[in-house]
Amino acid sequence: MAPFEDHVDENGDIHLTVDMPGVRKEDASIEVKDGEVIIKGTRHRHSARRVKENGSDAGEKKGESGNAPREGTTSLQYFSRFAVPRNYDATQIKATHEHGVLNVFIPRRPESKPIQIPIESA
C-alpha cells in the first residue's frame, strides 16, 4: 500500500512527511539505494475470532456451543520510493517518527546552495 506523502522544500532542503498509521518505529525502515530513498513499514494487527468446530468463521459471536477461540494476525505493508536529486546529500538523511507519521529530512549539498556574490563599484 502506498502511504500518503507530502514533499516540502524547506530552505532548500527536502522534507518528506509519510503517514503510516499503526506502524511502530521498530516496524519502519528507510534505506538509500541507487539514488532513491526507499521507505517501508509494516502494521501488524492482532484479532481474536470465534471459529466453529467445522472450521468456518463465526465472526465475533460468543457463547455459541461448538465455537472455539482463534487468534489471527493481519499485516499491512507500506512502501514508497523517492528519487534523491543529485544536489542533495543522501548520506546526511535524518528521520523522526511520531504517532504513525514519519518525517524524513534530506539536506541539500553545501556546494549546491546558492552563494550570494556582492557587486562592487568599479
Side-chain angles (χ1 to χ4, degrees):
M1 174 176 192
F4 174 77
E5 301 174 358
D6 190 21
H7 311 276
V8 179
D9 186 344
E10 290 185 356
N11 300 321
D13 297 334
I14 297 173
H15 175 201
L16 303 175
T17 302
V18 184
D19 288 336
M20 297 191 298
V23 175
R24 299 177 308 165
K25 181 178 126 181
E26 326 43 79
D27 295 328
S29 68
I30 303 170
E31 65 180 49
V32 178
K33 182 178 179 184
D34 298 329
E36 290 185 317
V37 174
I38 301 169
I39 300 170
K40 298 177 187 176
T42 304
R43 179 178 73 189
H44 303 285
R45 186 176 190 176
H46 302 285
S47 63
R49 298 183 296 158
R50 294 249 172 225
V51 177
K52 292 184 180 180
E53 287 181 357
N54 66 7
S56 66
D57 191 349
E60 295 293 325
K61 297 178 184 175
K62 296 181 183 176
E64 294 181 18
S65 61
N67 288 353
R70 178 183 287 177
E71 289 190 17
T73 302
T74 57
S75 295
L76 179 63
Q77 301 284 327
Y78 290 95
F79 180 83
S80 182
R81 289 187 141 143
F82 179 79
V84 180
R86 291 184 184 198
N87 55 336
Y88 287 84
D89 192 351
T91 64
Q92 298 298 315
I93 292 175
K94 303 246 186 285
T96 61
H97 180 276
E98 185 174 13
H99 305 295
V101 177
L102 186 65
N103 288 289
V104 181
F105 301 92
I106 308 172
R108 186 172 241 183
R109 292 184 189 275
E111 65 271 12
S112 67
K113 291 186 180 180
I115 300 170
Q116 188 66 30
I117 308 296
I119 301 172
E120 298 178 17
S121 297

